[in-house]
Amino acid sequence: MSAAGASQNTSGLASLDDVLNQITTSSNATSLNHYLKSFAPKESRDTILASIPPNGQDPLTVLDPSRNTLGFLYILSARLNSTSAPTPTLAVIENFCSQFDPTQARLAPDRVTFLAKGIVRASESSNNTKYALTSLYNLLTRYPPQLSYLTTLHAIFLKTCVATRHYTAALPILAVPITDVDISLSDLHYNDNLVYHYAGGVALGALKRWREAEEFFEICVSAPAQVPAAIQYDAYKKLALVQLIQYGETFAPPKYTHPSLLRLLKSSPYGVFIKQYPTQVTTLRTYAAKEQELFVQDANWGLINQAIDRAAVWLIKKLTATYLTLGLADIGREVGIENDEEIREIILSMIDSGEINATISADNTVTFSDVVPQFSKDDLDRILVQAQEHNRALLKVEREINASREYLIKAMKHKDDAGWGMEEDVFPTAMSGTPWADE
């Protein structure tokens, strides 16, 4: 039955029975999607979709999630975001998210986002936000052609993982680098990218995966903007603290980072803390206590304390560059820790982790020597595989750029302009010599 032939109720609007008839009889997904978006005015459309037919039978128990994906998606998302309709059961939600047809769902990216937000809303209303994780994970991993495509689902899922402290649940998603963006696939906004990478950095930091957390925060901080977002400044604070924990110092962000972020951080209490770091632990703790209210408000008190705990490590590493031998008491005075046993534990921990090469004699004398790097065959093989994977990903991106219509038009228009286009040193030699793609 065509949309024009749908029956109408006495108010002149299509009823839910009319909608269900279209869903179950339509053989053209594109036409059905157009009907579902336009069968009633926007303000009443979701009210109709969230209603229950006169016979009392729930349409979600009649429709098949795989065969009737589009209809199921519209009705389920409307029900989950309704304040008056009964909330679907967790089993119904999980069943759809694990069985829907991705091809059909991609015709309505805005409804997929609406569904994900509805799942979170329903879980929050039940005071059990974590129950949304399985459904959101299935939705996120099944909806895009590949996980490398950034979608609105990435940000929603990561925010939920962080809110529920289920950080490890995010790891399979965070392990896949974002290399593709398709606005026809997902109704993306600028903040989706920021929120995903910020929340990813928070999750990785909570798991003490500092190097990966640093990368995610840096992507958020350095995202281009005429005026930086508040979340970018928050990410910059966390980025700086993560770098102190990992390296004992901070590094300048990428050159394309908005300069106002650098000025804001430098003039803040974080800038003072960074300038002092690393110094004696007592000095750092005194300053941290003075600014505790701000650090707690920013949810950075934990990172501040971890950075302070690591300060002694960085001070001891500096000592190894100057002294061959040093007593525990002398080291304690340098780092601001009076307890010899506490210093001993720190040094033994640094030896065990390979951060320094040293021995402690019976008279509490510490002898330092150069650290000898050690790599197993498995380590080298793993690094080589990662390098090859990154090289393939970069090559794929370059080929797609070279083959894109927009780039070719600009290349022809500006071919005689000096300094336009990709510089040769942007990519490795083997990649920079790649010919134009024919396809």
Side-chain angles (χ1 to χ4, degrees):
M1 179 185 295
S2 66
S7 62
Q8 295 183 324
N9 58 26
T10 56
S11 66
L13 297 176
S15 66
L16 183 58
D17 283 334
D18 299 326
V19 174
L20 290 172
N21 185 51
Q22 287 289 322
I23 292 171
T24 55
T25 60
S26 176
S27 59
N28 187 310
T30 302
S31 298
L32 176 60
N33 184 53
H34 176 73
Y35 170 79
L36 292 171
K37 288 198 299 184
S38 58
F39 73 86
K42 183 178 180 180
E43 60 272 13
S44 57
R45 189 161 58 241
D46 282 328
T47 301
I48 296 172
L49 289 168
S51 63
I52 300 295
N55 61 13
Q57 187 172 30
D58 188 341
L60 296 180
T61 63
V62 177
L63 298 176
D64 180 85
S66 179
R67 188 171 62 254
N68 307 125
T69 291
L70 266 177
F72 208 112
L73 171 62
Y74 272 83
I75 294 174
L76 180 59
S77 58
R79 288 268 293 276
L80 285 170
N81 287 281
S82 172
T83 56
S84 56
T87 302
T89 64
L90 178 60
V92 169
I93 298 170
E94 290 184 343
N95 189 44
F96 175 79
C97 291
S98 63
Q99 295 188 28
F100 73 92
D101 176 7
T103 303
Q104 285 190 51
R106 289 172 198 150
L107 294 173
D110 56 327
R111 296 303 294 200
V112 174
T113 302
F114 196 43
L115 171 64
K117 291 179 178 179
I119 293 173
V120 174
R121 177 184 174 277
S123 65
E124 289 175 344
S125 297
S126 67
N127 295 318
N128 190 15
T129 308
K130 66 181 181 180
Y131 96 58
L133 289 173
T134 300
S135 298
L136 291 175
Y137 180 83
N138 287 332
L139 194 61
L140 171 54
T141 53
R142 300 185 66 245
Y143 176 71
Q146 295 176 331
L147 272 176
S148 59
Y149 281 86
L150 179 65
T151 67
T152 55
L153 303 176
H154 282 77
I156 295 170
F157 178 68
L158 257 295
K159 282 177 63 179
T160 307
C161 288
V162 170
T164 59
R165 299 179 180 269
H166 283 65
Y167 305 116
T168 55
L171 291 179
I173 306 301
L174 298 174
V176 182
I178 298 297
T179 58
D180 300 286
V181 174
D182 184 351
I183 57 175
S184 68
L185 176 68
S186 192
D187 52 330
L188 285 166
H189 298 278
Y190 176 74
N191 273 357
D192 291 318
N193 172 57
L194 301 183
V195 170
Y196 170 65
H197 286 99
Y198 176 82
V202 171
L204 292 164
L207 296 171
K208 301 187 186 302
R209 299 175 71 141
W210 304 121
R211 194 176 301 277
E212 295 158 280
E214 177 191 14
E215 179 183 354
F216 272 74
F217 285 135
E218 186 175 271
I219 291 173
C220 179
V221 170
S222 59
Q226 290 185 339
V227 178
I231 194 173
Q232 290 182 281
Y233 184 38
D234 288 342
Y236 197 14
K237 297 171 186 176
K238 294 185 187 298
L239 172 62
L241 294 175
V242 164
Q243 289 178 336
L244 292 182
I245 293 168
Q246 187 178 0
Y247 308 113
E249 60 182 327
T250 60
F251 299 96
K255 292 181 179 180
Y256 43 84
T257 303
H258 200 287
S260 67
L261 290 172
L262 283 70
R263 293 193 298 269
L264 284 169
L265 189 72
K266 187 176 181 180
S267 62
S268 72
Y270 291 90
V272 177
F273 184 83
I274 292 166
K275 189 175 182 179
Q276 292 181 345
Y277 196 92
T279 189
Q280 290 195 345
V281 172
T282 51
T283 302
L284 292 173
R285 291 206 185 281
T286 299
Y287 182 75
K290 176 185 173 185
E291 301 293 345
Q292 181 174 353
E293 184 178 353
L294 172 66
F295 295 146
V296 171
Q297 181 181 332
D298 289 346
N300 286 330
W301 186 241
L303 288 176
I304 287 286
N305 280 294
Q306 289 184 76
I308 293 173
D309 291 340
R310 288 284 291 171
V313 170
W314 302 119
L315 290 173
I316 291 171
K317 290 195 76 169
K318 284 186 175 181
L319 293 175
T320 66
T322 306
Y323 300 96
L324 290 176
T325 61
L326 210 57
L328 286 178
D330 297 324
I331 295 174
R333 279 192 293 273
E334 290 291 332
V335 302
I337 297 176
E338 297 179 359
N339 189 316
D340 286 359
E341 286 307 309
E342 187 176 347
I343 288 294
R344 182 193 300 274
E345 289 179 9
I346 293 173
I347 292 174
L348 289 175
S349 175
M350 293 175 69
I351 294 171
D352 289 342
S353 63
E355 292 180 283
I356 60 172
N357 191 11
T359 57
I360 304 176
S361 63
D363 63 352
N364 288 339
T365 298
V366 182
T367 302
F368 300 112
S369 55
D370 292 336
V371 176
V372 180
Q374 294 184 346
F375 297 98
S376 67
K377 182 179 181 302
D378 290 341
D379 291 333
L380 294 174
D381 288 343
R382 176 174 49 80
I383 293 170
L384 179 60
V385 169
Q386 289 177 346
Q388 290 171 337
E389 289 175 349
H390 291 162
N391 184 68
R392 282 194 293 269
L394 287 172
L395 183 59
K396 176 176 177 287
V397 170
E398 186 196 17
R399 283 176 171 168
E400 289 175 351
I401 292 174
N402 289 347
S404 71
R405 182 174 180 271
E406 294 83 357
Y407 184 81
L408 290 172
I409 290 173
K410 289 183 179 180
M412 294 303 294
K413 182 178 179 181
H414 298 280
K415 65 179 180 179
D416 296 325
D417 294 354
W420 190 88
M422 297 181 183
E423 296 181 7
E424 291 183 359
D425 60 355
V426 171
F427 293 104
T429 305
M431 292 177 63
S432 61
T434 304
W436 292 102
D438 293 329
E439 62 275 15

